[in-house]
Amino acid sequence: MFTQTLKKRVLGSNLVDLLTGPHGVDRYTELVAPTWTLGEGRAKVVDVRRTTPRSVTLTLAPNDTFTAAHSVKAGQYVNLTVEIDGRRHTRCYSPANSEGSTHLELTIGHHEGGLVSNYLYERARRGMVVGLDGVGGDFVLPARGPSGRGPRRILFVSGGSGITPVMAMLRTLLAERHAGEIAFVHYARSAAEACYREELAALHGRPGVRVLHGYTRSDAGDLVGRFGAEHLAAAMPAPDAVFVCGPTALVEAVQKHCDNVHTESFVPPVFEPPANPSGGRVTFADSGIDVADDGRPLLEQAESAGLKPENGCRMGICHTCTRRKTAGAVRNLITGAVSTGPDEDVQICVSVPVGDVDLSL
């Protein structure tokens, strides 16, 4: 059997590249083993669990191509690609496993209209192969100081499927034998829909660990109502650092009552179209389509014109929607930066035209 080093040397040789062109070696090796690829990150689904009525938990074994190129920090996301009806669709999901794990654990909440989440909830199975492309996100534990220690009193707050990145942080701290205090507050519709409820219940009561649940459609939880001063006092007054992931309303409530808050929201931002669009024309050159700019992001204007560009997060995170702007200017709605040069790559989900724009799409 090939060693990993020998396999990479053989597959990466000029001779193999010549013999397998123009499709590349991956198109041939995947016929033997779908995850045995030199250029594409992939993973095999090795376990599937449906522990709540609204979520599915996948355990993934990434291939060497992905693990050699990426190290996933607790709280970051990965770009996962699946093929549905002949089209590739990419979404970004935050693993819930601790740092350094050989496998990735994704708990994906499904919701009405969620193409990829519903597909995985209904059809994910052991042996299924998915694509993995890239790691990103700044929602991570703070770097340890010169003494090797970070904040001692840490509060985690999550809502719904926003539990996954903070779960990864919690597991990482416990694996590192965090010497301080940890409080974890999770909000779900009901106890039946609370992900990781049994694991968290087992952790509650360990020295330095406190776990509380709030159920928005039931009074059966540890906390009643929404996050506020009372919930903060019950969980951990005056924490050194707070990490919150969930709906925008939850993030804003935590920011209102806490200091030193690190945030992540899984809800795409809503961009209001301007009252006076630029008045320019948007040309989708590859498709021969030309439309009047209506002020919305280029992705939405392309979809309204009947195009179906590949996209993922729709919030400027995963870069799946990146396309080449061959002429004109666009403004990034997240950063406010204006791109004016020709032949620039732009994220069309968060870019709006500034005058006439030509796009390779």
Side-chain angles (χ1 to χ4, degrees), residues 298 319 321-326 330 332 339 341-348 351 359-360:
L298 286 164
H319 295 269
C321 70
T322 299
R323 293 293 183 274
R324 178 57 58 94
K325 172 179 64 68
T326 56
V330 299
N332 186 299
S339 165
D343 297 320
E344 292 182 324
D345 290 334
V346 298
Q347 295 171 265
I348 62 175
S351 295
L359 202 66
S360 292

Side-chain angles (χ1 to χ4, degrees), residues 41-314:
R42 296 183 183 177
K44 178 182 288 188
V45 177
V46 296
D47 190 36
V48 179
R49 291 177 289 131
R50 295 175 175 86
T51 55
T52 79
R54 294 173 56 83
S55 69
V56 59
T57 297
L58 311 179
T59 302
L60 308 180
N63 66 359
D64 294 336
T65 300
F66 180 83
T67 56
H70 303 289
S71 176
V72 186
K73 295 182 179 180
Q76 289 189 306
Y77 61 83
V78 297
N79 293 329
L80 180 143
T81 299
V82 295
E83 185 173 304
I84 304 174
D85 297 330
R87 286 181 57 86
R88 290 164 60 88
H89 299 270
T90 302
R91 298 292 186 269
C92 50
Y93 297 111
S94 297
N97 52 275
S98 60
E99 287 184 20
S101 173
T102 58
H103 290 70
L104 298 178
E105 180 179 299
L106 305 181
T107 293
I108 300 166
H110 81 97
H111 54 87
E112 185 177 354
L115 176 65
V116 174
S117 63
N118 285 334
Y119 176 83
L120 292 172
Y121 179 79
E122 296 170 0
R123 303 191 185 184
R125 65 191 185 283
R126 293 183 180 182
M128 180 180 182
V129 174
V130 298
L132 288 178
D133 179 23
V135 174
D138 299 322
F139 186 61
V140 295
L141 291 167
R144 311 306 192 264
S147 64
R149 292 164 53 182
R152 291 182 56 81
R153 290 169 46 81
I154 299 176
L155 171 62
F156 294 118
V157 183
S158 60
S161 57
I163 192 173
T164 54
V166 292
M167 195 71 193
M169 294 179 181
L170 172 66
R171 286 170 163 175
T172 297
L173 289 175
L174 293 178
E176 295 176 351
R177 300 184 182 277
H178 178 69
E181 299 176 60
I182 300 173
F184 196 119
V185 178
H186 179 61
Y187 295 90
R189 293 185 178 185
S190 65
E193 295 186 14
C195 300
Y196 299 105
R197 184 165 59 94
E198 293 183 2
E199 179 178 346
L200 290 172
L203 292 175
H204 181 67
R206 283 183 50 170
V209 179
R210 182 172 178 76
V211 177
L212 299 173
H213 278 89
Y215 303 128
T216 58
R217 299 187 180 182
S218 167
D219 293 337
D222 306 301
L223 303 170
V224 177
R226 309 286 175 167
F227 184 90
E230 292 184 2
H231 290 194
L232 175 62
M236 177 181 283
D240 296 332
V242 182
F243 296 85
V244 54
C245 182
T248 303
L250 175 61
V251 172
E252 291 176 347
V254 173
Q255 290 175 320
K256 178 180 178 182
H257 292 90
C258 300
D259 298 320
N260 196 18
V261 178
H262 306 263
T263 68
E264 182 84 298
S265 177
F266 55 76
V267 180
V270 177
F271 302 118
E272 292 293 336
N276 300 306
S278 71
R281 306 290 300 181
V282 180
T283 301
F284 302 107
D286 296 349
S287 306
I289 295 176
D290 179 90
V291 300
D293 171 35
D294 62 13
R296 293 182 298 160
L298 286 164
L299 173 60
E300 296 182 24
Q301 297 197 52
E303 291 174 333
S304 294
L307 302 177
K308 297 180 179 180
E310 189 174 359
N311 65 89
C313 65
R314 304 182 78 95

